[in-house]
Amino acid sequence: MALDQLVGQLVVYSYPGLTPPAELLRLIRAGRVGGLIFFGENITSTAQIAGVVAQLREAHAESRIREPLLLMTDQEGGIVRRLKDQEPYLSAKQIGQQPDPQAAATEAGRGAAAGLKAAGMNLNLAPVVDVYREEGNFDDQFGRSFSSDPEVAGDLGMRFATAQQAAGVAATAKHFPGLGAAPAGANTDLTAVTLSQGLRELRRVDEAAFVPSIRAGIDLVMASWAIYPALDAKRPAGLSRRVIQDELRGRLRFRGVTITDALEAGSLDAYGTDAEVGVLAARAGMDVLLCSSRDVSQGEAVAAALEDALLHRRLEAGAFLGSLLRVRRLRSRLH
């Protein structure tokens, strides 16, 4: 592959509306797109988006890239599910409140996989394994957290993920090292968020909920865009080597694929353009860069910045190749 194709394998694109633009299809045919993320504005029904996905796959087949595109959405359950006509109908919190929550989490994972496969997708940006602290806080207000107990949240998230992956759809534990302490309104998509729990609490509560999924072999982990002074007072988790390399890969021994949250998040305004943030994330150890502004030019700018950083040695080639290997290994197992 040429360098522009290599960097493209790590970039996930998005687009506006119901029809993929011609420029996106051109980039896919050229082998310069690693994946696509779909939002509510792209989807009217499972049948409709399945037709779009078939078109995207057809364009990809014209490239020389063997591995399939990463085709993803947020199908967490409850309110947060882009495929409205598909499971999981229960939110994570409702799953945690069932008489047999373990069975409910397993069934939700199977249901998510079935719906995504019906749409032609192969990756879910779920489950959330954040451990919520207070009723109505950021995670709890939409029922996105399984529990305020780290053992329960970790176990149910793991069961959701393993059931989904057993059905052939990659799972993503998020938002490392945990957004469960974020109060209502502390939305990193919109503004900078700092979570000040101590290191002992962060590890024994928030990070602990990720451990069962990591040990069970979850495919991906998404990093938070909040700042955690107990680990790194200067940079959000997804831009911090201390968080990604030392905690996630070092202490917790995660060997899978790391993925950013949205590069255009308001919490990142102080760190430069989306393209500059993408390079910072790659340098911190993030493998897949999520360009979700529904603008194809965003993905192009991020890919160009990665290429420039490699050529000018602002991004270490060995680290880049490590990311590429992990991502291609994951994609080779998907359909």
Side-chain angles (χ1 to χ4, degrees), residues 35 51 57 64 78 126 171 178 214 226 237 283 289 295 298-299 319:
R57 287 181 179 272
R64 294 185 177 182
I214 290 171
R283 290 175 64 183
L289 307 178
D295 185 342
Q298 181 195 28

Side-chain angles (χ1 to χ4, degrees), residues 95-129:
I95 289 169
Q97 294 171 337
Q98 295 302 297
D100 187 346
Q102 294 177 331
T106 299
E107 184 57 34
R110 289 196 193 108
L116 290 161
K117 289 172 77 175
M121 299 184 202
N122 55 19
L123 193 157
N124 194 5
L125 296 172
V128 172
V129 295

Side-chain angles (χ1 to χ4, degrees), residues 195-258:
L195 301 180
S196 58
Q197 63 265 50
L199 184 61
R200 180 180 175 86
E201 178 183 348
L202 190 62
R203 286 177 170 171
R204 294 187 64 177
V205 178
D206 298 286
E207 291 186 18
F210 287 82
V211 171
S213 290
I214 290 171
R215 289 179 175 170
I218 195 163
D219 286 323
L220 302 99
V221 169
M222 176 183 283
S224 160
W225 284 141
I227 293 174
Y228 302 80
L231 292 172
D232 187 333
K234 295 183 178 180
R235 291 193 169 183
L239 302 183
S240 170
R241 290 184 61 84
R242 175 80 176 89
V243 175
I244 304 305
Q245 301 289 19
D246 296 350
E247 289 293 299
L248 180 58
R249 294 216 183 273
R251 199 176 76 84
L252 299 185
R253 300 181 181 179
F254 177 62
R255 297 294 179 261
V257 171
T258 53

Side-chain angles (χ1 to χ4, degrees), residues 21-303:
E23 176 64 8
L24 177 59
L25 294 172
R26 183 188 70 79
L27 290 168
I28 293 171
R29 293 187 186 102
R32 293 169 56 188
V33 174
L36 284 300
I37 180 171
F38 304 98
F39 292 94
E41 71 177 81
N42 306 127
I43 302 169
T44 59
S45 67
T46 298
Q48 173 267 330
I49 195 62
V52 171
V53 168
Q55 181 185 13
L56 297 170
R57 287 181 179 272
E58 184 177 337
H60 183 66
E62 295 181 36
S63 76
R64 294 185 177 182
I65 309 302
R66 300 190 311 274
E67 300 86 2
L69 294 167
L70 293 175
L71 299 162
M72 67 192 72
T73 195
D74 297 275
Q75 194 73 359
E76 297 174 13
I79 294 173
V80 187
R81 87 184 187 281
R82 310 301 186 199
L83 298 168
K84 297 299 186 184
D85 55 351
Q86 298 291 340
E87 298 182 38
Y89 299 118
L90 296 180
S91 69
K93 185 173 186 178
Q94 290 171 329
I95 289 169
Q97 294 171 337
Q98 295 302 297
D100 187 346
Q102 294 177 331
T106 299
E107 184 57 34
R110 289 196 193 108
L116 290 161
K117 289 172 77 175
M121 299 184 202
N122 55 19
L123 193 157
N124 194 5
L125 296 172
V128 172
V129 295
D130 298 336
V131 182
Y132 82 90
R133 301 298 202 278
E134 298 177 354
E135 295 283 336
N137 76 354
F138 175 73
D139 277 317
D140 185 60
Q141 63 186 329
F142 300 113
R144 299 178 76 196
S145 172
F146 289 105
S147 178
S148 58
D149 182 328
E151 289 190 14
V152 174
D155 179 63
L156 297 183
M158 177 272 293
R159 291 174 187 276
F160 183 111
T162 53
Q164 181 179 270
Q165 290 187 177
V169 175
T172 309
K174 61 186 188 185
H175 310 79
F176 188 83
L179 276 175
N187 186 347
T188 57
D189 285 346
L190 305 176
T191 187
V193 173
T194 297
L195 301 180
S196 58
Q197 63 265 50
L199 184 61
R200 180 180 175 86
E201 178 183 348
L202 190 62
R203 286 177 170 171
R204 294 187 64 177
V205 178
D206 298 286
E207 291 186 18
F210 287 82
V211 171
S213 290
I214 290 171
R215 289 179 175 170
I218 195 163
D219 286 323
L220 302 99
V221 169
M222 176 183 283
S224 160
W225 284 141
I227 293 174
Y228 302 80
L231 292 172
D232 187 333
K234 295 183 178 180
R235 291 193 169 183
L239 302 183
S240 170
R241 290 184 61 84
R242 175 80 176 89
V243 175
I244 304 305
Q245 301 289 19
D246 296 350
E247 289 293 299
L248 180 58
R249 294 216 183 273
R251 199 176 76 84
L252 299 185
R253 300 181 181 179
F254 177 62
R255 297 294 179 261
V257 171
T258 53
I259 184 169
T260 70
D261 208 337
L263 289 181
E264 70 279 3
S267 57
L268 304 176
D269 287 349
Y271 301 91
T273 65
D274 297 352
E276 290 167 336
V277 167
V279 173
L280 290 175
R283 290 175 64 183
M286 302 306 297
D287 298 324
V288 175
L289 307 178
L290 197 59
C291 299
S292 53
S293 68
R294 285 74 140 182
D295 185 342
V296 173
S297 67
Q298 181 195 28
E300 291 181 286
V302 169

